[in-house]
């Protein structure tokens, strides 16, 4: 309720009677939009108390407003501001004609590439294919309940929370560094790690700490626009690297290094986003050589390390003998579950100190509840158990979806069976009516979150299979198959008559 | 476990026997720090499977390493890398001698003013006084359990989460704008609001969107270093405003405006952090005049609006007829409970669009779980009920702590009974041995999170009373009283012989 006692003042020295003063001020509140159409006024008794006047004064005032059609009585509910009032003051936050932002800085020109589906469009019966998230049903989310439901919650949080550790709970940094050392053969202590917020925070911190305006940044030409957006926001000049099924082309990088002073290279060697390509061992070795020789910084984004299906994972560059100018970032979000929006940021101690300070400016402290949960899951072995269990499940789902794709859509698409990660990169030939295809599937209640348009015109879907049941996969494939066949019937020549690569290599 | 199948390769063409190749490579792993002291090797059977060799080969290899003292056998547990190995390779993330960051940009020179207590120091029996947080016992945190425990959780989250709404769930924006319109007399729709992450994010976004390097920013001289840090990081030149018990000195601002082109004013009119001062109505009016005349931007930080104890709250500037160049920010963290780290950011639509994009670069999407929880609490009326209930409780606690302060510490301190918010600003005279006092209370297990050192040398404690029970208050006051009296005994002249202002005005 509005604080009417502060909004309405009654001056007893004035010749105007109190009820009229109140009426005038209430009408002014309605006119200026502070009292909005459809809002109920306080009851006469309550209003009289708030304004310290006799109740009769309020009744008189409300009667006056009823007469002027500003308010109406609703049976058993009270007095309501009329809903069809004309001519109210314009919203104060709407720009005026004299108001122009164009003349101001235009730093942020980046648009997200992936279409953000409007959340109001989706019905409960629809199926949304994500771009590679874990199955919430498999994740140890139940632990969240236990953490929140604990008896000693209050005292524990009172002890922990007010301290707002900027770089994350010390115990979590310890547990995470041990986890990374054990699984990725890193060699770090708590001085070389900090916890970040989920998603992009690690990349944002790295870019803003290392880059000055005009610095050159190299990254794969197939990188998603969010990464390029972060570097452009930091004022960097971007150099795009050719890349193929072995990852970024290190020869191209070497060539660029002859004429350019590259300050930073951004790379996702294990499972590139969005193409899911794993960088070959040969290229990795070459990259390490170039790093040491040319002394540029590398930001290595950990993606898909924990889930691999063909042989073991390949150790990150961060575990090799690099030149010390490397930042290794990742998040628990795509390993554990979506709400685990806590990331890690591994770097030399001096970089950690600066990243801590910058993160503190952006967001004083992290999600300490989730940090506590993660700490518990890592230290009691739950994380490793979760990874082992999920890996088996996801490998099965990966094989199933590949078999379905081959059988039903083999003629329209190209894909490689993923070596790691939680999604398949499905390419469509340039002549395929991709936009119409998406229109048809959307109309049938099938949404894709990972629609990719590459710089070379290639259209693809990053199809997250890990969170889907076999039944949901079948439904999705059914809809896709029908849509594609329908389009084919309309125009025969969309058919791409070649066997998918995945079918051969599988 | 490390992926040994990728780390160790056996070349059967080589003359060296397989067991020796394995041994050499394992020792190399230990030497380079990838296999760390104290780590257990896989069992011989498991290792043989991973490397696709006969188990006898592994046994031979382990024996060899035992002989060379690289590993040891632990009864019933297996083979462990020796814990006291000398001369390992240095950590790869430690800076080298040739590695220097000094030559690079030095953007971040800001240090936090408030001492961050090392979280390892605190024992369960200790008492931490925060700087003004709600009582976790009062907050509707139990709702979290319900949200996480829902049956339709999986399907709901699968529908919602992949869409990653950058500016927050649309439904939450709707609910929050209605809440703000109803309680603060704003006049906004969903186009003029976005949800931010908790803490500082709103301020960071505003500063980075509006400011260019060298722009002038005016703010109270008593602002905390985190706010000044954000503006300095954005490259702003700071102009500090004098302020007193009526808030910032608008005459000083007017004087500064004669000679300076101020781009932005940062202000917390309702309950300034850290001093808890509420800006007087006269100064607010003057400020609105100056805003319209000089066309600078205002960032209004909402703090303590929901909890007020003497009369009603004062409406924010955002509800007045301002010039449209105003950004109104706040967070549910200090109203509802600490884990509700979701904030709101109210601004003209064009600013909202840019803030959305920048926030997306920093952190793709917010904490959608918490957003769902908030949405539920706001729409079912739980938030307003929570505020009503808590306000009564906090008013009582506020009176209690003031009475205790008067009785036990009245001779050493000065404070004003707070009009709003969740903390009391307790000043200590410059001659009081404040640092020794803090040393003594810390030794007795009483920690303060809100220790303030002002530019004029004034020392103060921002004492959060809302989260304390009467018993805890008594304990805290007891410790403070004892510490102060002990210091007085040692040096008589610390005594400040004047009655506290609070005692008179109360």
């Amino acid at each position: 309720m509005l604080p009417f006692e502060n909004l309405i003042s009654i001056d007893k020295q004035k010749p105007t009677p109190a009820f009229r003063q109140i009426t005038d001020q209430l009408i002014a509140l309605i006119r200026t939009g502070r009292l909005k159409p459809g809002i109920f006024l306080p009851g006469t008794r309550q209003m009289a108390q708030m304004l310290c006047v006799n109740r009769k004064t309020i009744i008189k005032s409300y009667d006056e407003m009823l007469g002027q059609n500003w308010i109406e009585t609703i049976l058993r509910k009270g007095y309501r501001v009329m809903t069809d009032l004309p001519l109210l003051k314009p919203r104060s936050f709407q720009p005026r004609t004299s108001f122009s932002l164009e003349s101001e800085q235009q730093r942020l020109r980046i648009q997200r590439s992936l279409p953000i589906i409007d959340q109001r469009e989706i019905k409960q019966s629809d199926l949304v294919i994500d771009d590679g998230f874990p199955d919430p049903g498999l994740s140890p989310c139940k632990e969240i309940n236990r953490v929140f439901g604990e008896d000693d919650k209050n005292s524990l949080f009172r002890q922990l929370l007010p301290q707002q550790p900027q770089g994350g709970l010390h115990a979590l940094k310890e547990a995470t560094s041990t986890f990374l050392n054990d699984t990725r053969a890193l060699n770090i202590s708590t001085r070389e790690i900090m916890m970040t917020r989920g998603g992009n925070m690690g990349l944002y911190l790295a870019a803003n700490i290392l880059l000055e305006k005009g610095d050159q940044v190299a990254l794969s030409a197939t990188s998603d626009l969010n990464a390029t957006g972060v570097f452009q926001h930091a004022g960097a000049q971007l150099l795009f690297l050719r890349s193929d099924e072995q990852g970024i082309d290190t020869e191209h990088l070497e060539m660029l290094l002859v004429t350019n002073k590259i300050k930073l290279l951004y790379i996702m060697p294990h499972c590139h986003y969005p193409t899911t390509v794993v960088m070959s061992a040969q290229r990795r070795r070459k990259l390490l050589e170039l790093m040491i020789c040319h002394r540029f910084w590398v930001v290595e984004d950990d993606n898909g390390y924990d889930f691999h299906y063909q042989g073991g994972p390949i150790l990150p560059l961060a575990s090799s003998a690099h030149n010390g100018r490397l930042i290794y970032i990742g998040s628990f979000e795509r390993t554990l579950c979506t709400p685990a929006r806590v990331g890690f940021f591994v770097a030399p101690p001096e970089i950690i100190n600066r990243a801590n300070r910058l993160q503190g400016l952006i967001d004083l402290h992290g999600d300490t509840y989730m940090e506590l949960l993660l700490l518990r899951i890592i230290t009691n072995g739950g994380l490793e158990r979760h990874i082992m269990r999920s890996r088996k499940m996801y490998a099965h789902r990966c094989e199933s979806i590949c078999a379905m794709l081959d059988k039903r859509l083999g003629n329209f698409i190209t894909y490689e069976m993923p070596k790691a990660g939680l999604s398949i990169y499905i390419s469509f030939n340039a002549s395929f009516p991709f936009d119409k295809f998406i229109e048809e599937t959307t109309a049938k209640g099938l949404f894709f979150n990972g629609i990719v348009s590459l710089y070379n015109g290639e259209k693809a879907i990053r199809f997250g299979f890990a969170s889907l049941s076999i039944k949901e996969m079948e439904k999705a494939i059914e809809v896709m198959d029908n849509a594609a066949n329908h389009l084919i019937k309309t125009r025969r020549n969309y058919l791409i008559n070649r066997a998918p690569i995945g079918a051969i290599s599988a």
Side-chain angles (χ1 to χ4, degrees), chain A:
Chain A
M1 202 199 306
L2 287 177
F4 287 99
E5 63 270 40
N6 295 331
L7 289 171
I8 294 173
S9 63
I10 301 157
D11 187 348
K12 295 202 169 151
Q13 311 298 322
K14 274 194 192 169
T16 335
F19 92 91
R20 162 104 7 244
Q21 290 186 34
I22 295 170
T23 313
D24 289 351
Q25 290 178 59
L26 280 173
I27 290 172
L29 286 176
I30 296 173
R31 270 189 199 280
T32 55
R34 285 182 172 191
L35 263 175
K36 270 164 283 296
I39 283 270
F40 279 90
L41 292 176
T44 49
R45 201 181 304 271
Q46 199 184 355
M47 188 64 123
Q49 267 182 359
M50 285 166 100
L51 303 185
C52 303
V53 295
N54 192 297
R55 193 176 155 211
K56 282 183 191 154
T57 313
I58 303 295
I59 293 174
K60 219 170 165 185
S61 163
Y62 281 13
D63 277 346
E64 178 75 27
M65 287 170 73
L66 280 168
Q68 292 186 29
N69 277 333
W70 287 104
I71 59 174
E72 56 189 338
T73 43
I74 305 291
L75 200 65
R76 276 193 289 275
K77 284 198 157 180
Y79 299 89
R80 189 172 70 174
V81 179
M82 294 287 273
T83 46
D84 52 351
L85 285 174
L87 248 179
L88 294 180
K89 205 189 166 194
R91 296 178 184 286
S92 58
F93 275 97
Q94 294 287 356
R96 308 285 167 82
T97 42
S98 68
F99 173 95
S100 163
L101 269 167
E102 272 72 60
S103 57
E104 296 189 23
Q105 67 185 90
Q106 295 273 357
R107 279 193 219 163
L108 299 165
R109 284 151 302 173
I110 324 306
Q111 295 280 350
R112 286 267 295 159
S113 64
L114 306 177
I116 305 289
I117 306 164
D118 189 326
Q119 61 249 36
R120 285 160 299 176
E121 276 176 17
I122 313 239
K123 292 190 294 289
Q124 192 74 17
S125 61
D126 293 341
L127 183 60
V128 180
I129 309 293
D130 60 50
D131 65 344
F133 276 102
D135 187 344
L138 285 180
S139 72
C141 267
K142 281 172 203 155
E143 287 275 352
I144 296 177
N145 265 324
R146 270 180 242 150
V147 168
F148 282 116
E150 269 176 10
D151 283 340
D152 60 345
K153 183 188 73 178
N154 286 357
S155 61
L156 182 67
F157 287 139
R158 194 170 296 157
Q159 297 284 334
L160 277 172
L161 287 178
Q163 302 166 54
Q164 310 177 343
Q166 282 186 10
L169 293 175
H170 186 83
L172 180 60
K173 289 197 283 184
E174 245 164 25
T176 308
S177 55
T178 306
F179 172 73
L180 294 177
N181 287 344
D182 287 355
T183 56
R184 285 136 168 96
L186 299 197
N187 196 357
I188 55 167
S189 71
T190 49
R191 289 182 59 221
E192 290 126 17
I193 193 170
M194 64 182 272
M195 308 317 295
T196 59
R197 318 307 170 245
N200 258 34
M201 180 73 99
L203 186 59
Y204 184 85
L205 294 178
N208 279 274
I209 285 171
L210 294 178
L211 298 176
E212 303 224 37
K213 208 172 172 176
D215 278 345
Q216 290 186 322
V217 169
L219 71 170
S220 166
T222 59
S223 296
D224 80 318
L225 284 195
N226 214 71
T228 57
V230 168
F231 291 121
Q232 284 179 324
H233 177 66
Q237 186 199 333
L238 299 184
L239 299 172
F240 289 106
L241 296 170
R242 282 197 299 265
S243 58
D244 52 30
E245 68 288 347
Q246 289 192 60
I248 58 159
D249 184 344
T250 38
E251 277 179 28
H252 188 201
L253 176 63
E254 193 168 19
M255 215 176 67
L256 286 175
L257 280 165
V258 175
T259 48
N260 294 279
K261 176 93 194 87
I262 291 175
K263 177 74 170 281
L264 188 151
L265 170 74
Y266 173 61
I267 192 170
M268 297 171 96
H270 205 281
C271 186
H272 183 77
Y273 187 95
T275 61
T276 75
V277 164
V278 177
M279 195 172 176
S280 70
Q282 196 191 350
R283 296 248 176 111
R284 282 163 197 255
R285 267 196 302 277
K286 182 72 191 170
L287 180 56
L288 282 169
E289 272 171 35
L290 292 176
M291 266 181 85
I292 288 160
C293 173
H294 293 273
R295 300 169 51 73
F296 52 83
W297 278 89
V298 170
V299 175
E300 182 178 23
D301 204 335
D302 179 286
N303 195 3
Y305 181 88
D306 293 311
F307 300 117
H308 47 86
Y309 311 112
Q310 300 167 20
I314 296 159
L315 288 176
L317 294 176
S319 76
S320 311
H322 56 76
N323 64 353
R325 295 183 167 243
L326 190 139
I327 297 179
Y328 181 65
I329 57 177
S331 154
F332 290 103
E333 194 173 354
R334 293 205 182 214
T335 297
L336 199 56
C337 58
T338 334
R341 308 199 70 247
V342 176
F344 49 83
F345 183 99
V346 176
E350 200 173 339
I351 296 286
I352 294 288
N353 290 343
R354 285 145 141 242
N356 253 331
R357 266 174 265 152
L358 177 55
Q359 186 167 252
L361 293 180
I362 296 173
D363 181 15
L364 290 174
H365 60 99
D367 183 347
T368 318
Y369 278 64
M370 191 49 75
E371 289 186 15
L372 278 173
L373 167 71
L374 264 176
L375 173 61
R376 167 171 305 202
I377 292 179
I378 296 175
T379 48
N380 71 11
L383 180 61
E384 256 185 285
R385 278 197 302 277
H386 164 75
I387 291 173
M388 299 275 274
R389 207 180 52 210
S390 307
R391 195 185 290 154
K392 270 185 207 160
M393 184 70 89
Y394 296 157
H396 172 66
R397 289 185 184 168
C398 180
E399 278 170 29
S400 309
I401 190 76
C402 287
M404 290 183 205
L405 285 172
D406 289 348
K407 195 175 156 199
R408 302 288 294 269
L409 290 155
N411 288 333
F412 314 112
I413 60 163
T414 317
Y415 73 93
E416 289 256 16
M417 195 160 178
K419 296 195 188 86
L422 304 178
S423 58
I424 299 184
Y425 187 76
I426 303 175
S427 303
F428 291 79
N429 191 292
S431 70
F432 186 80
F434 186 79
D435 296 337
K436 286 212 165 156
F437 173 74
I438 293 298
E439 258 174 45
E440 295 234 355
T441 56
T442 304
K444 290 280 184 297
L446 179 69
F447 294 82
F448 297 100
N449 240 316
I451 293 176
V452 181
S453 304
L454 285 193
Y455 62 107
N456 58 9
E458 187 185 314
K459 300 277 192 169
I461 293 175
R462 201 178 136 97
F463 189 103
F465 58 81
S467 60
L468 298 175
S469 66
I470 299 292
K471 218 170 164 181
E472 285 169 324
M473 286 179 194
E474 279 165 357
K475 185 186 161 190
I477 297 287
E478 176 79 31
V479 173
M480 288 167 77
D481 187 13
N482 288 346
N485 276 312
H486 179 245
L487 288 173
I488 296 304
K489 266 184 209 149
T490 352
R491 250 171 69 193
R492 260 272 146 217
N493 57 338
Y494 292 146
L495 192 74
I496 308 154
N497 207 350
R498 89 186 138 115
I501 295 175
I504 295 165
S505 71

